[in-house]
Structure formats: structure tokens, C-alpha cells
Amino acid sequence: MLIRISVLFLLCFVMTPARAQAEKQQPNILFILTDQWRAQSIGYAGNEQVKTPNIDELARSSVNFKNAVSGCPVCCPFRGSLMTGQRPLTHGVFLNDVQLPAKSVTIAEVMNQAGYETGFIGKWHLDGRGRTAFTPPERRQGFEFWRALECTHNYNNSFYYADSPERKTWEGYDAFAQTRVARQFIRTQSKAGQPFLLVMSYGSPHNPYHTAPPEYQSMYEPQNIRLRPNVPKDQQAAAKKELAGYYAHCSALDDCVGDLLATLKETGVDQNTIVVFTSDHGDMLHSHGQIRKQKPWDESLRVPMLFRLNGTEHAQGRTVDAPINSEDLMPTLLGLCEVKIPASVEGLDFSGYLRGGENPSDGATVITCPAPFGEWQRSRGGKEYRGLRTTRYTYVRDLKGPWLLYDNHADPFQQRNLCNEPSAATVQAELNALLNKKLAAQGDQFLPGKKYIAKFGYQVDPKTGTVPYTN
């Protein structure tokens, strides 16, 4: 009898770790995506003008990728890469207002198979059938819970769809209403005990800049705004006015982030939830005399990128300098959740690096504009480019040859173009060779934009290069 009890005790002791591992719940993911929020316009990055206390607090317990970029810095290409882990010339979404192919293997589909509840709230912009059209369940790329619209930036008169073609209206400033739905989703899932992936996709601080709630607009006066030194004098008045409204949107979203984080804590799932905060691209806001996105300068290219890991790993934050790109997000999230990464994925898995391991990159990532359009149409100087963003340099070629070279350590506002200067000849040659190597590995021949447009069968406006869409 004593022997039998001892054996049972031993079996329990041996089996307990295995049982505990089997019962260990996979981490949740809260992915907070903003639209057109550049890396330079946030408190934790050193901008003391914009008030973002909640995101600054998040940064203190997160891994901050200070060289994160949107590799094709415009809305739909980023979103296609986020969903698939592929580059724009692979998934085909290198213009706005085209559909992400139904055959794509997306993060939501993979997470569904891994036992996750998947949810999407806010701006979708991957269906390509008009910006106010209903997106039926079979075109949602695997997301199950759905409170979304293709695209709108009318933040105070915004609507969405759930599971039927009936339009539903967000009450008031849409980011606040969307946040309330996201908080309820978290509460529901925390009780269900099923791991979740929730993408909270906000439309702001994308222009129009002056539509944030009045209490946030009153926080910023244009005359008090300090500009980056690369804004031309003749555009400074416009830049100050626009930045005042832009910062108002940023502060409103900061309160939304604070509410989401508070809900994670309130429901007791904060220790088992990976939180990501980022944006689809930046905003020039008159730096270098330019507006909006698509451009290869840092104001358009670089985005905030915070990863707060789950459990005790998120106790202390740190800043890392490895460049991370849009296609790297899906494999990194899957790696953090120990979910198998599909063979279709092209991005790098930074999950080990996030936990203190080796950097999977070589310190450089590719930046592209396959076909300029819209606000950077050819009549406004838009052109195709390929380039590299490294931990130190930005190097860019257009179809004619080398175009831009900046030493971002010595020249953080990119005011001195070193391209073809004798003093930078060695660096330029090394970067050019590395770019050639990377483009060859990616199968990118760097053709004129019309070649890719024809390959994918897109119809564009001949003047603007834009795919026609309806609002």
C-alpha cells in the first residue's frame, strides 16, 4: 500500500509540469493601429509638445523599435503586409483601394486555426469595392468579430458594419466609440477564457487635422508649435496650424490607448496580453516642403513601434535599433505566440530578438514606392524608388540611379543629401551593393510602375495614378 501511494505521488510530480504546460493559455494580442502617426510626433520619442502620457507609460514597459519603418509608406500596402507577412509586390496591394486577394494566408486565418478568437474594429481598407461598401464575412480575411468600414476620415459622422449590410453609426468622435466596443470585446473574451487577437484600427491622426473633440483642440495653439528645422519658411504657418490639429488627434487617441490598457488590467488579462502600438505610415507635415506619405524621408517612412510582451517580460522597457518592416509584424506576432509561421510569409520573425536573442536582420531593410499615386502623383514630383533604411543611413535610388543618401546620425533632419558626393563614395557603394543584393533576393527587378499595374490588372487614372473609388 505504501509503495502504491509513493508511485502515485511520483507520477503526479512527474506529470504536473506537462499538465501545467498543456493548460497554459496562449497569450492574447491587442494590436493598436493608428493612421498616419509619424514616429517623431510622440512624447516617448522626445517630442515634449504633444501630450501622450498613456502611450509614454506603455513605452516604459515595452520594446521600442526606434528604426521601425513602413516599407511602402501608404495605407493599403502596409495593411496588406500586416495581414500576410508579405511585401507589396507579392500580395499585390501596392496602391490604395484594391482588394487583398482572397487566396492570401492571413494572420487572422492562422490564429483562428490556433484556437484564437479574432476581432477587427475600425478602418479596414483592404476590400477594394468602394470605401463605404459592406464587407461580407467571406471577404474579411478570417476576422470573426467585425465592427469595421473600408475607409472614412469623417471622424464625427462615421459609420460601420457588423454582420449585416445595415449601416450603424459610431456615436460622436468615432475613436471613442470604437474604443468602447474594443473594451467590451476584451471583457467578453476575458470571461470566455479563449485567447484573442484584436486589431483596433483607428482612422486618426490622418487629416483632416481639425476635427478632434474641442477639448483636445484647445490643448494646442498654432503659434506655440515648434517645427522641425527642415520645414521651409514659406510653409511654416501652414505647418503650425496643421500640427496643432494633428497633435489634438494624437492626444485623443492617447486617452483611447489608456482606456484599453486599463481594461486589460481591470479584467486581469494584462499579464497575458501582448500589446503592439504602431501606425501604417507617417506624415511629412511640410518637412522638406512635402505633405502626407509615400515619400522616402523619415517623417513619412518611420512609424512608432512598441511591443509590450506578456507576463513578467513586460516589466521593464528597452529601446532597440534594429530596423523592422511592415512584413515582419505577422511572423513576429506568430513567433511570440508559438504559432507556426506559414511558408507564404516573407517577413522576419523578431520574437527571439524581442526576448533578448539575436537580431534576425542584417541591420538594413528595403523601402519602396512601386507606383506613385494620389497625393504624390507624378505632376507633384512622385516617382518610383527603391532604397534602404539602416540603423544609420537612408539610401534611395529612382529609375535614373542614386537619388538620396543621408547619414541619419550626423544629420537627423536629413538636410544634407550626400548622394554622389566624393566624401560619401565608399558608403554609397556599399549601400548600393547591399540594395542590389536584397532586391535580387526578393525577386524585385525595379521596373517602372506601369509594368506592375499591368501585371496585376489594375485600372488607374492616367493623371493621378490612383485606382478610382467611390465614397
Side-chain angles (χ1 to χ4, degrees):
M1 184 67 178
L2 181 59
I3 294 174
R4 185 181 299 170
I5 293 173
S6 299
V7 170
L8 288 172
F9 179 82
L10 181 60
L11 285 172
C12 289
F13 181 78
V14 171
M15 292 171 63
T16 296
R19 185 181 296 113
Q21 180 66 30
E23 293 177 355
K24 180 183 176 182
Q25 185 178 340
Q26 291 173 286
N28 309 305
I29 299 173
L30 171 60
F31 194 97
I32 304 170
L33 176 61
T34 64
D35 194 337
Q36 212 162 288
W37 193 327
R38 64 185 188 180
Q40 302 84 1
S41 293
I42 203 161
Y44 73 80
N47 188 329
E48 298 178 353
Q49 297 184 85
V50 59
K51 298 174 178 62
T52 54
N54 294 298
I55 300 171
D56 298 346
E57 181 63 28
L58 175 64
R60 282 188 275 274
S61 58
S62 299
V63 180
N64 169 25
F65 282 91
K66 69 177 183 179
N67 289 316
V69 302
S70 177
C72 182
V74 66
C75 180
C76 295
F78 171 90
R79 292 162 194 270
S81 294
L82 167 64
M83 294 299 158
T84 64
Q86 296 176 330
R87 303 178 192 98
L89 289 179
T90 300
H91 58 64
V93 184
F94 55 88
L95 300 170
N96 279 354
D97 298 291
V98 298
Q99 183 194 6
L100 180 66
K103 66 180 180 181
S104 301
V105 179
T106 68
I107 187 170
E109 291 168 344
V110 174
M111 297 302 264
N112 287 341
Q113 293 174 2
Y116 277 71
E117 172 72 14
T118 55
F120 193 97
I121 300 170
K123 178 182 174 181
W124 177 238
H125 215 179
L126 282 174
D127 199 35
R129 297 191 304 159
R131 294 191 171 186
T132 58
F134 171 62
T135 303
E138 65 271 17
R139 296 173 68 96
R140 296 174 184 175
Q141 302 290 349
F143 284 96
E144 298 162 325
F145 180 87
W146 185 264
R147 300 290 185 273
L149 180 69
E150 179 72 355
C151 179
T152 184
H153 294 288
N154 187 356
Y155 305 124
N156 296 292
N157 186 23
S158 174
F159 62 90
Y160 66 95
Y161 296 102
D163 294 326
S164 75
E166 178 190 359
R167 288 188 182 185
K168 298 177 181 292
T169 302
W170 294 116
E171 181 183 354
Y173 186 64
D174 62 3
F176 293 165
Q178 291 160 359
T179 301
R180 289 193 291 270
V181 171
R183 296 179 77 184
Q184 186 56 49
F185 177 92
I186 293 168
R187 292 187 183 108
T188 300
Q189 287 307 119
S190 68
K191 294 176 182 177
Q194 181 184 8
F196 65 82
L197 161 66
L198 175 62
V199 178
M200 180 58 259
S201 176
Y202 295 112
S204 52
H206 187 291
N207 53 296
Y209 301 114
H210 301 288
T211 56
E215 62 268 30
Y216 294 93
Q217 294 193 54
S218 67
M219 295 166 64
Y220 302 98
E221 294 292 339
Q223 63 268 25
N224 297 329
I225 299 295
R226 299 185 300 279
L227 300 175
R228 294 171 67 78
N230 55 19
V231 177
K233 288 186 177 179
D234 63 347
Q235 296 185 34
Q236 289 181 359
K240 288 185 175 184
K241 182 178 179 180
E242 290 176 9
L243 270 164
Y246 183 80
Y247 287 167
H249 281 308
C250 291
S251 290
L253 288 190
D254 181 77
D255 277 350
C256 294
V257 172
D259 287 343
L260 291 172
L261 297 177
T263 305
L264 293 177
K265 189 171 183 180
E266 159 203 317
T267 55
V269 299
D270 60 322
Q271 292 293 314
N272 196 41
T273 300
I274 297 163
V275 179
V276 182
F277 173 83
T278 191
S279 181
D280 57 357
H281 52 77
D283 192 332
M284 294 301 296
L285 283 160
H286 299 279
S287 285
H288 305 287
Q290 302 279 345
I291 60 170
R292 312 295 191 259
K293 56 271 189 180
Q294 295 189 66
K295 290 83 173 176
W297 290 281
D298 269 4
E299 291 84 0
S300 162
L301 190 71
R302 286 183 53 231
V303 293
M305 182 74 72
L306 299 176
F307 276 80
R308 191 181 78 178
L309 305 185
N310 58 310
T312 57
E313 294 173 297
H314 78 225
Q316 186 170 353
R318 59 192 172 95
T319 297
V320 296
D321 63 1
I324 186 172
N325 212 323
S326 313
E327 67 267 18
D328 302 326
L329 290 167
M330 176 184 176
T332 298
L333 289 169
L334 295 180
L336 289 171
C337 296
E338 300 181 5
V339 173
K340 185 179 179 181
I341 298 170
S344 56
V345 166
E346 297 174 323
L348 298 174
D349 175 7
F350 281 83
S351 61
Y353 182 61
L354 280 161
R355 289 176 167 144
E358 294 295 316
N359 179 358
S361 78
D362 58 4
T365 194
V366 174
I367 56 178
T368 74
C369 177
F373 67 91
E375 291 169 324
W376 205 41
Q377 60 194 255
R378 296 184 191 279
S379 63
R380 299 176 182 175
K383 54 184 175 179
E384 300 91 332
Y385 64 78
R386 301 293 189 275
L388 294 175
R389 185 59 166 83
T390 79
T391 55
R392 179 170 180 174
Y393 296 102
T394 298
Y395 173 63
V396 186
R397 292 199 318 244
D398 62 20
L399 289 171
K400 297 179 180 178
W403 172 28
L404 301 172
L405 173 58
Y406 296 109
D407 181 342
N408 298 312
H409 288 180
D411 179 22
F413 299 103
Q414 299 179 319
Q415 294 175 289
R416 183 186 177 191
N417 184 5
L418 301 174
C419 196
N420 298 326
E421 286 198 8
S423 63
T426 300
V427 169
Q428 182 171 324
E430 292 173 349
L431 291 170
N432 193 64
L434 180 57
L435 178 58
N436 285 336
K437 180 181 177 181
K438 285 184 173 289
L439 292 181
Q442 296 178 8
D444 185 350
Q445 297 177 280
F446 191 9
L447 302 174
K450 63 182 180 181
K451 297 285 188 180
Y452 299 110
I453 291 169
K455 175 184 176 181
F456 286 91
Y458 298 142
Q459 300 296 317
V460 302
D461 183 288
K463 291 184 178 179
T464 66
T466 303
V467 174
Y469 61 86
T470 56
N471 274 322

